[in-house]
Amino acid sequence: MSTLLLRLEGPMQSWGTQSRFRDRDTGREPSKSGVIGLLCAALGRARSAPLGDLATLRMGVRVDREGTVSMDYHTSGAASPNDDLYGEKERAIISQRHYLADASFLVGLEGEDRLLRELLAALQWPRWQIYLGRKAFLPSKSLLLSDEPPVGPGLREEPLEMSLRTWPWMPDGSWRRDPPARLRLVLDAAPGSTMEIRNDVPISFEDRLFSLRNVTTKWVEVPR
């Protein structure tokens, strides 16, 4: 199996898995449904397209910068200034939208080399706009990592966990603060091997159907 590594970094990200209109949540790291949605945008797949090949990819996330959970207060649906009911609060729908600020993630996808090369090509020239959980949240740098030695390439012929453990922490030097004592890894796990279960494997984006996955969390030393 090969592993494709991606950098998900931007001023704001949001990876909700339990959102309702009035309360849009976010996880502390990218969800599998969010990452697969991003890949579908790059490939130009319609919401009704099958997702089986992408859903079977094993995913892992290394949290290089945890970020800060913040919340915006939104109103929508209020009457217009020309409406006789303008100003009535009951016409407005109030919602709270959570997001991660200043976070950075190294995401790994493990699977067949052919599929990963197809995804790599699509991410180089995405068909539709790529965003980090919400359309307003654009990445601040390319998702693709440098292929230059000694740290490259981003597509690696090695297992998922090894790739995430060994890729240098912030190799581009953009992170000027001291490194953390350790980094958090969140990895897909075999069914029954862990008590942490997440409902974020997409079956159909059109029908908003999802299935469960098991995940395990590990802590690793900061690679240099």
Side-chain angles (χ1 to χ4, degrees):
M1 288 291 183
S2 299
T3 298
L4 176 62
L5 294 177
L6 306 173
R7 170 68 62 195
L8 271 56
E9 182 175 319
M12 294 184 287
Q13 307 182 39
S14 185
W15 306 104
T17 59
Q18 304 179 48
S19 294
R20 299 294 182 268
F21 183 81
R22 292 180 182 270
D23 190 2
R24 304 288 182 88
D25 73 313
T26 182
R28 294 303 304 258
E29 65 279 328
S31 63
K32 192 161 189 176
S33 58
V35 172
I36 290 177
L38 183 154
L39 298 175
C40 286
L43 292 164
R45 288 194 186 182
R47 294 178 64 85
S48 58
L51 301 171
D53 57 341
L54 301 179
T56 56
L57 291 171
R58 186 174 179 232
M59 189 178 91
V61 179
R62 192 181 82 189
V63 182
D64 281 1
R65 193 161 67 233
E66 290 280 356
T68 303
V69 177
S70 301
M71 186 270 287
D72 278 346
Y73 173 89
H74 285 247
T75 61
S76 61
S80 71
N82 297 323
D83 196 314
D84 292 338
L85 296 177
Y86 176 65
E88 290 190 10
K89 293 181 179 179
E90 58 268 22
R91 292 295 300 272
I93 300 174
I94 299 171
S95 64
Q96 297 177 338
R97 305 188 182 192
H98 299 81
Y99 60 90
L100 286 172
D102 195 32
S104 181
F105 305 102
L106 183 66
V107 174
L109 300 166
E110 182 186 78
E112 295 183 0
D113 187 75
R114 177 196 57 80
L115 176 57
L116 296 181
R117 291 189 180 278
E118 180 183 353
L119 296 176
L120 179 62
L123 289 166
Q124 288 173 330
W125 300 98
R127 183 171 178 184
W128 298 330
Q129 176 64 56
I130 288 174
Y131 49 87
L132 304 179
R134 292 188 194 145
K135 291 182 178 179
F137 296 171
L138 303 182
S140 59
K141 60 175 61 176
S142 172
L143 274 65
L144 299 178
L145 302 176
S146 172
D147 284 336
E148 296 297 324
V151 295
L155 180 57
R156 311 170 75 82
E157 296 181 359
E158 61 186 21
L160 173 66
E161 186 170 344
M162 180 184 296
S163 296
L164 292 173
R165 284 178 176 270
T166 57
W167 185 273
W169 181 78
M170 293 296 181
D172 60 4
S174 63
W175 185 235
R176 298 181 180 277
R177 284 170 266 180
D178 292 334
R182 56 182 185 168
L183 300 176
R184 183 163 58 91
L185 289 186
V186 181
L187 302 161
D188 283 0
S193 63
T194 176
M195 295 300 293
E196 189 176 0
I197 300 174
R198 300 184 182 182
N199 186 37
D200 68 346
V201 181
I203 299 172
S204 168
F205 284 126
E206 184 176 41
D207 299 321
R208 298 187 63 81
L209 297 176
F210 302 89
S211 63
L212 303 176
R213 69 175 172 128
N214 290 62
V215 300
T216 185
T217 299
K218 300 181 179 181
W219 294 90
V220 298
E221 295 182 357
V222 178
R224 305 292 184 178

